[in-house]
PDB file of all heavy atoms in Angstrom:
ATOM      1  N   LYS A   1       0.879  -1.194   0.013  1.00  0.00           N
ATOM      2  CA  LYS A   1       0.005  -0.013  -0.023  1.00  0.00           C
ATOM      3  C   LYS A   1       0.894   1.278   0.004  1.00  0.00           C
ATOM      4  O   LYS A   1       0.634   2.182  -0.754  1.00  0.00           O
ATOM      5  CB  LYS A   1      -0.903  -0.031   1.191  1.00  0.00           C
ATOM      6  CG  LYS A   1      -1.879   1.126   1.263  1.00  0.00           C
ATOM      7  CD  LYS A   1      -2.842   0.985   2.392  1.00  0.00           C
ATOM      8  CE  LYS A   1      -3.962   2.002   2.375  1.00  0.00           C
ATOM      9  NZ  LYS A   1      -4.939   1.876   3.425  1.00  0.00           N
ATOM     10  N   LEU A   2       1.906   1.248   0.803  1.00  0.00           N
ATOM     11  CA  LEU A   2       2.769   2.449   0.912  1.00  0.00           C
ATOM     12  C   LEU A   2       3.533   2.594  -0.454  1.00  0.00           C
ATOM     13  O   LEU A   2       3.729   3.723  -0.877  1.00  0.00           O
ATOM     14  CB  LEU A   2       3.785   2.313   2.011  1.00  0.00           C
ATOM     15  CG  LEU A   2       3.128   2.603   3.448  1.00  0.00           C
ATOM     16  CD1 LEU A   2       4.087   2.287   4.551  1.00  0.00           C
ATOM     17  CD2 LEU A   2       2.654   4.039   3.562  1.00  0.00           C
ATOM     18  N   ARG A   3       4.015   1.560  -0.993  1.00  0.00           N
ATOM     19  CA  ARG A   3       4.684   1.600  -2.290  1.00  0.00           C
ATOM     20  C   ARG A   3       3.767   2.206  -3.434  1.00  0.00           C
ATOM     21  O   ARG A   3       4.235   3.006  -4.219  1.00  0.00           O
ATOM     22  CB  ARG A   3       5.230   0.240  -2.780  1.00  0.00           C
ATOM     23  CG  ARG A   3       6.431  -0.196  -2.018  1.00  0.00           C
ATOM     24  CD  ARG A   3       7.007  -1.426  -2.453  1.00  0.00           C
ATOM     25  NE  ARG A   3       8.125  -1.852  -1.658  1.00  0.00           N
ATOM     26  CZ  ARG A   3       8.588  -2.998  -1.653  1.00  0.00           C
ATOM     27  NH1 ARG A   3       7.993  -4.015  -2.332  1.00  0.00           N
ATOM     28  NH2 ARG A   3       9.589  -3.301  -0.854  1.00  0.00           N
ATOM     29  N   HIS A   4       2.536   1.826  -3.393  1.00  0.00           N
ATOM     30  CA  HIS A   4       1.571   2.411  -4.306  1.00  0.00           C
ATOM     31  C   HIS A   4       1.502   3.899  -4.020  1.00  0.00           C
ATOM     32  O   HIS A   4       1.484   4.687  -4.949  1.00  0.00           O
ATOM     33  CB  HIS A   4       0.230   1.693  -4.161  1.00  0.00           C
ATOM     34  CG  HIS A   4      -0.893   2.484  -4.940  1.00  0.00           C
ATOM     35  ND1 HIS A   4      -0.950   2.371  -6.279  1.00  0.00           N
ATOM     36  CD2 HIS A   4      -1.887   3.230  -4.476  1.00  0.00           C
ATOM     37  CE1 HIS A   4      -2.007   3.125  -6.688  1.00  0.00           C
ATOM     38  NE2 HIS A   4      -2.573   3.564  -5.582  1.00  0.00           N
ATOM     39  N   GLU A   5       1.303   4.313  -2.794  1.00  0.00           N
ATOM     40  CA  GLU A   5       1.164   5.718  -2.469  1.00  0.00           C
ATOM     41  C   GLU A   5       2.338   6.585  -2.812  1.00  0.00           C
ATOM     42  O   GLU A   5       2.246   7.725  -3.200  1.00  0.00           O
ATOM     43  CB  GLU A   5       0.830   5.898  -0.910  1.00  0.00           C
ATOM     44  CG  GLU A   5      -0.548   5.286  -0.514  1.00  0.00           C
ATOM     45  CD  GLU A   5      -1.656   6.111  -1.164  1.00  0.00           C
ATOM     46  OE1 GLU A   5      -1.603   7.257  -1.362  1.00  0.00           O
ATOM     47  OE2 GLU A   5      -2.733   5.436  -1.358  1.00  0.00           O
ATOM     48  N   ILE A   6       3.562   6.000  -2.672  1.00  0.00           N
ATOM     49  CA  ILE A   6       4.724   6.689  -3.083  1.00  0.00           C
ATOM     50  C   ILE A   6       4.747   7.025  -4.481  1.00  0.00           C
ATOM     51  O   ILE A   6       5.059   8.167  -4.990  1.00  0.00           O
ATOM     52  CB  ILE A   6       6.025   5.953  -2.807  1.00  0.00           C
ATOM     53  CG1 ILE A   6       6.249   5.872  -1.191  1.00  0.00           C
ATOM     54  CG2 ILE A   6       7.237   6.435  -3.379  1.00  0.00           C
ATOM     55  CD1 ILE A   6       7.330   4.919  -0.755  1.00  0.00           C
ATOM     56  N   GLY A   7       4.247   6.105  -5.332  1.00  0.00           N
ATOM     57  CA  GLY A   7       4.099   6.332  -6.848  1.00  0.00           C
ATOM     58  C   GLY A   7       3.072   7.329  -7.181  1.00  0.00           C
ATOM     59  O   GLY A   7       3.205   8.046  -8.119  1.00  0.00           O
ATOM     60  N   VAL A   8       2.052   7.472  -6.338  1.00  0.00           N
ATOM     61  CA  VAL A   8       0.883   8.391  -6.627  1.00  0.00           C
ATOM     62  C   VAL A   8       1.289   9.817  -6.346  1.00  0.00           C
ATOM     63  O   VAL A   8       0.820  10.725  -7.084  1.00  0.00           O
ATOM     64  CB  VAL A   8      -0.314   7.908  -5.776  1.00  0.00           C
ATOM     65  CG1 VAL A   8      -1.393   8.994  -5.830  1.00  0.00           C
ATOM     66  CG2 VAL A   8      -0.841   6.597  -6.188  1.00  0.00           C
ATOM     67  N   CYS A   9       2.092  10.072  -5.356  1.00  0.00           N
ATOM     68  CA  CYS A   9       2.342  11.540  -4.974  1.00  0.00           C
ATOM     69  C   CYS A   9       3.853  11.700  -4.917  1.00  0.00           C
ATOM     70  O   CYS A   9       4.266  12.051  -3.757  1.00  0.00           O
ATOM     71  CB  CYS A   9       1.694  11.805  -3.686  1.00  0.00           C
ATOM     72  SG  CYS A   9       2.144  10.897  -2.287  1.00  0.00           S
ATOM     73  N   PRO A  10       4.660  11.572  -5.984  1.00  0.00           N
ATOM     74  CA  PRO A  10       6.061  11.879  -5.859  1.00  0.00           C
ATOM     75  C   PRO A  10       6.356  13.333  -5.592  1.00  0.00           C
ATOM     76  O   PRO A  10       5.653  14.196  -6.067  1.00  0.00           O
ATOM     77  CB  PRO A  10       6.562  11.457  -7.235  1.00  0.00           C
ATOM     78  CG  PRO A  10       5.376  11.550  -8.124  1.00  0.00           C
ATOM     79  CD  PRO A  10       4.193  11.255  -7.301  1.00  0.00           C
ATOM     80  N   GLY A  11       7.355  13.564  -4.682  1.00  0.00           N
ATOM     81  CA  GLY A  11       7.764  14.920  -4.529  1.00  0.00           C
ATOM     82  C   GLY A  11       7.021  15.658  -3.388  1.00  0.00           C
ATOM     83  O   GLY A  11       7.320  16.806  -3.112  1.00  0.00           O
ATOM     84  N   SER A  12       5.992  15.056  -2.852  1.00  0.00           N
ATOM     85  CA  SER A  12       5.202  15.680  -1.795  1.00  0.00           C
ATOM     86  C   SER A  12       5.761  15.428  -0.450  1.00  0.00           C
ATOM     87  O   SER A  12       6.603  14.536  -0.220  1.00  0.00           O
ATOM     88  CB  SER A  12       3.695  15.245  -1.894  1.00  0.00           C
ATOM     89  OG  SER A  12       3.588  13.926  -1.433  1.00  0.00           O
ATOM     90  N   ALA A  13       5.239  16.141   0.540  1.00  0.00           N
ATOM     91  CA  ALA A  13       5.681  15.916   1.940  1.00  0.00           C
ATOM     92  C   ALA A  13       5.267  14.596   2.412  1.00  0.00           C
ATOM     93  O   ALA A  13       5.938  13.921   3.186  1.00  0.00           O
ATOM     94  CB  ALA A  13       5.065  17.005   2.840  1.00  0.00           C
ATOM     95  N   LYS A  14       4.088  14.080   1.849  1.00  0.00           N
ATOM     96  CA  LYS A  14       3.637  12.803   2.280  1.00  0.00           C
ATOM     97  C   LYS A  14       4.637  11.611   1.762  1.00  0.00           C
ATOM     98  O   LYS A  14       4.816  10.704   2.467  1.00  0.00           O
ATOM     99  CB  LYS A  14       2.282  12.499   1.711  1.00  0.00           C
ATOM    100  CG  LYS A  14       1.142  13.150   2.395  1.00  0.00           C
ATOM    101  CD  LYS A  14      -0.166  12.747   1.807  1.00  0.00           C
ATOM    102  CE  LYS A  14      -1.365  13.316   2.554  1.00  0.00           C
ATOM    103  NZ  LYS A  14      -2.622  12.861   1.992  1.00  0.00           N
ATOM    104  N   GLU A  15       5.305  11.844   0.681  1.00  0.00           N
ATOM    105  CA  GLU A  15       6.233  10.864   0.087  1.00  0.00           C
ATOM    106  C   GLU A  15       7.360  10.569   1.101  1.00  0.00           C
ATOM    107  O   GLU A  15       7.682   9.418   1.299  1.00  0.00           O
ATOM    108  CB  GLU A  15       6.776  11.296  -1.276  1.00  0.00           C
ATOM    109  CG  GLU A  15       7.765  10.275  -1.789  1.00  0.00           C
ATOM    110  CD  GLU A  15       8.514  10.756  -3.000  1.00  0.00           C
ATOM    111  OE1 GLU A  15       8.444  11.944  -3.365  1.00  0.00           O
ATOM    112  OE2 GLU A  15       9.157   9.898  -3.610  1.00  0.00           O
ATOM    113  N   THR A  16       7.844  11.616   1.804  1.00  0.00           N
ATOM    114  CA  THR A  16       8.923  11.456   2.724  1.00  0.00           C
ATOM    115  C   THR A  16       8.407  10.583   3.862  1.00  0.00           C
ATOM    116  O   THR A  16       9.139   9.687   4.332  1.00  0.00           O
ATOM    117  CB  THR A  16       9.350  12.833   3.253  1.00  0.00           C
ATOM    118  OG1 THR A  16       9.695  13.585   2.147  1.00  0.00           O
ATOM    119  CG2 THR A  16      10.549  12.667   4.269  1.00  0.00           C
ATOM    120  N   LEU A  17       7.265  10.865   4.324  1.00  0.00           N
ATOM    121  CA  LEU A  17       6.624  10.092   5.462  1.00  0.00           C
ATOM    122  C   LEU A  17       6.375   8.673   4.979  1.00  0.00           C
ATOM    123  O   LEU A  17       6.645   7.680   5.767  1.00  0.00           O
ATOM    124  CB  LEU A  17       5.385  10.714   5.976  1.00  0.00           C
ATOM    125  CG  LEU A  17       4.730   9.981   7.198  1.00  0.00           C
ATOM    126  CD1 LEU A  17       5.684   9.889   8.280  1.00  0.00           C
ATOM    127  CD2 LEU A  17       3.488  10.787   7.625  1.00  0.00           C
ATOM    128  N   TYR A  18       5.877   8.483   3.853  1.00  0.00           N
ATOM    129  CA  TYR A  18       5.634   7.084   3.257  1.00  0.00           C
ATOM    130  C   TYR A  18       6.959   6.291   3.244  1.00  0.00           C
ATOM    131  O   TYR A  18       6.976   5.152   3.579  1.00  0.00           O
ATOM    132  CB  TYR A  18       5.070   7.228   1.826  1.00  0.00           C
ATOM    133  CG  TYR A  18       3.677   7.679   1.714  1.00  0.00           C
ATOM    134  CD1 TYR A  18       3.327   8.390   0.623  1.00  0.00           C
ATOM    135  CD2 TYR A  18       2.813   7.608   2.762  1.00  0.00           C
ATOM    136  CE1 TYR A  18       1.967   8.848   0.451  1.00  0.00           C
ATOM    137  CE2 TYR A  18       1.448   8.074   2.564  1.00  0.00           C
ATOM    138  CZ  TYR A  18       1.068   8.708   1.415  1.00  0.00           C
ATOM    139  OH  TYR A  18      -0.160   9.251   1.279  1.00  0.00           O
ATOM    140  N   ARG A  19       8.005   6.980   2.747  1.00  0.00           N
ATOM    141  CA  ARG A  19       9.257   6.342   2.695  1.00  0.00           C
ATOM    142  C   ARG A  19       9.779   5.942   4.138  1.00  0.00           C
ATOM    143  O   ARG A  19      10.409   4.899   4.320  1.00  0.00           O
ATOM    144  CB  ARG A  19      10.284   7.178   1.934  1.00  0.00           C
ATOM    145  CG  ARG A  19       9.969   7.263   0.485  1.00  0.00           C
ATOM    146  CD  ARG A  19      11.102   7.858  -0.344  1.00  0.00           C
ATOM    147  NE  ARG A  19      10.791   8.005  -1.679  1.00  0.00           N
ATOM    148  CZ  ARG A  19      10.835   7.066  -2.574  1.00  0.00           C
ATOM    149  NH1 ARG A  19      11.210   5.877  -2.227  1.00  0.00           N
ATOM    150  NH2 ARG A  19      10.477   7.344  -3.864  1.00  0.00           N
ATOM    151  N   GLN A  20       9.614   6.890   4.980  1.00  0.00           N
ATOM    152  CA  GLN A  20      10.043   6.538   6.411  1.00  0.00           C
ATOM    153  C   GLN A  20       9.247   5.373   7.007  1.00  0.00           C
ATOM    154  O   GLN A  20       9.843   4.426   7.617  1.00  0.00           O
ATOM    155  CB  GLN A  20       9.838   7.762   7.421  1.00  0.00           C
ATOM    156  CG  GLN A  20      10.894   8.911   7.068  1.00  0.00           C
ATOM    157  CD  GLN A  20      10.534  10.104   7.832  1.00  0.00           C
ATOM    158  OE1 GLN A  20       9.531  10.223   8.460  1.00  0.00           O
ATOM    159  NE2 GLN A  20      11.448  11.098   7.698  1.00  0.00           N
ATOM    160  N   LEU A  21       8.004   5.349   6.832  1.00  0.00           N
ATOM    161  CA  LEU A  21       7.115   4.372   7.336  1.00  0.00           C
ATOM    162  C   LEU A  21       7.499   3.001   6.541  1.00  0.00           C
ATOM    163  O   LEU A  21       7.518   1.888   7.266  1.00  0.00           O
ATOM    164  CB  LEU A  21       5.582   4.561   7.122  1.00  0.00           C
ATOM    165  CG  LEU A  21       5.050   5.717   7.957  1.00  0.00           C
ATOM    166  CD1 LEU A  21       3.587   6.005   7.497  1.00  0.00           C
ATOM    167  CD2 LEU A  21       5.144   5.363   9.471  1.00  0.00           C
ATOM    168  N   SER A  22       7.632   3.046   5.292  1.00  0.00           N
ATOM    169  CA  SER A  22       8.046   1.888   4.562  1.00  0.00           C
ATOM    170  C   SER A  22       9.362   1.262   5.085  1.00  0.00           C
ATOM    171  O   SER A  22       9.483   0.087   5.220  1.00  0.00           O
ATOM    172  CB  SER A  22       8.149   2.248   3.055  1.00  0.00           C
ATOM    173  OG  SER A  22       8.402   1.109   2.333  1.00  0.00           O
ATOM    174  N   GLY A  23      10.387   2.191   5.307  1.00  0.00           N
ATOM    175  CA  GLY A  23      11.582   1.625   5.878  1.00  0.00           C
ATOM    176  C   GLY A  23      11.437   0.897   7.210  1.00  0.00           C
ATOM    177  O   GLY A  23      11.997  -0.134   7.393  1.00  0.00           O
ATOM    178  N   ARG A  24      10.578   1.444   8.110  1.00  0.00           N
ATOM    179  CA  ARG A  24      10.382   0.853   9.373  1.00  0.00           C
ATOM    180  C   ARG A  24       9.596  -0.444   9.200  1.00  0.00           C
ATOM    181  O   ARG A  24       9.810  -1.447   9.894  1.00  0.00           O
ATOM    182  CB  ARG A  24       9.613   1.812  10.311  1.00  0.00           C
ATOM    183  CG  ARG A  24      10.410   2.952  10.827  1.00  0.00           C
ATOM    184  CD  ARG A  24       9.686   3.926  11.539  1.00  0.00           C
ATOM    185  NE  ARG A  24       9.258   3.341  12.886  1.00  0.00           N
ATOM    186  CZ  ARG A  24       8.295   3.900  13.672  1.00  0.00           C
ATOM    187  NH1 ARG A  24       7.727   5.121  13.256  1.00  0.00           N
ATOM    188  NH2 ARG A  24       7.939   3.318  14.732  1.00  0.00           N
ATOM    189  N   LEU A  25       8.667  -0.515   8.248  1.00  0.00           N
ATOM    190  CA  LEU A  25       7.939  -1.781   7.942  1.00  0.00           C
ATOM    191  C   LEU A  25       8.882  -2.815   7.498  1.00  0.00           C
ATOM    192  O   LEU A  25       8.895  -4.002   7.952  1.00  0.00           O
ATOM    193  CB  LEU A  25       6.871  -1.477   6.880  1.00  0.00           C
ATOM    194  CG  LEU A  25       5.587  -0.807   7.337  1.00  0.00           C
ATOM    195  CD1 LEU A  25       4.723  -0.444   6.108  1.00  0.00           C
ATOM    196  CD2 LEU A  25       4.818  -1.634   8.343  1.00  0.00           C
ATOM    197  N   LEU A  26       9.860  -2.451   6.634  1.00  0.00           N
ATOM    198  CA  LEU A  26      10.801  -3.385   6.123  1.00  0.00           C
ATOM    199  C   LEU A  26      11.711  -3.970   7.238  1.00  0.00           C
ATOM    200  O   LEU A  26      12.035  -5.185   7.219  1.00  0.00           O
ATOM    201  CB  LEU A  26      11.624  -2.830   4.979  1.00  0.00           C
ATOM    202  CG  LEU A  26      10.871  -2.557   3.630  1.00  0.00           C
ATOM    203  CD1 LEU A  26      11.741  -1.806   2.677  1.00  0.00           C
ATOM    204  CD2 LEU A  26      10.415  -3.887   3.038  1.00  0.00           C
ATOM    205  N   GLN A  27      12.088  -3.082   8.202  1.00  0.00           N
ATOM    206  CA  GLN A  27      12.950  -3.466   9.255  1.00  0.00           C
ATOM    207  C   GLN A  27      12.169  -4.608  10.139  1.00  0.00           C
ATOM    208  O   GLN A  27      12.729  -5.523  10.525  1.00  0.00           O
ATOM    209  CB  GLN A  27      13.374  -2.375  10.146  1.00  0.00           C
ATOM    210  CG  GLN A  27      14.416  -1.409   9.541  1.00  0.00           C
ATOM    211  CD  GLN A  27      14.762  -0.275  10.438  1.00  0.00           C
ATOM    212  OE1 GLN A  27      13.889   0.235  11.081  1.00  0.00           O
ATOM    213  NE2 GLN A  27      15.983   0.152  10.421  1.00  0.00           N
ATOM    214  N   SER A  28      10.921  -4.282  10.280  1.00  0.00           N
ATOM    215  CA  SER A  28      10.072  -5.169  11.161  1.00  0.00           C
ATOM    216  C   SER A  28       9.863  -6.504  10.385  1.00  0.00           C
ATOM    217  O   SER A  28       9.937  -7.610  10.941  1.00  0.00           O
ATOM    218  CB  SER A  28       8.708  -4.522  11.542  1.00  0.00           C
ATOM    219  OG  SER A  28       8.872  -3.450  12.332  1.00  0.00           O
ATOM    220  N   GLN A  29       9.712  -6.427   9.059  1.00  0.00           N
ATOM    221  CA  GLN A  29       9.631  -7.654   8.289  1.00  0.00           C
ATOM    222  C   GLN A  29      10.887  -8.404   8.391  1.00  0.00           C
ATOM    223  O   GLN A  29      10.756  -9.669   8.509  1.00  0.00           O
ATOM    224  CB  GLN A  29       9.311  -7.219   6.834  1.00  0.00           C
ATOM    225  CG  GLN A  29       7.866  -7.167   6.426  1.00  0.00           C
ATOM    226  CD  GLN A  29       7.781  -6.934   4.923  1.00  0.00           C
ATOM    227  OE1 GLN A  29       8.418  -6.065   4.360  1.00  0.00           O
ATOM    228  NE2 GLN A  29       6.860  -7.608   4.329  1.00  0.00           N
TER     229      GLN A  29
END
């Protein structure tokens, strides 16, 4: 879901948060 959202809104403030959340998800995975 986060990967999809990153592609939908590149360059926005949300993208940075999506990438941070995605990184934490990957660490937990």
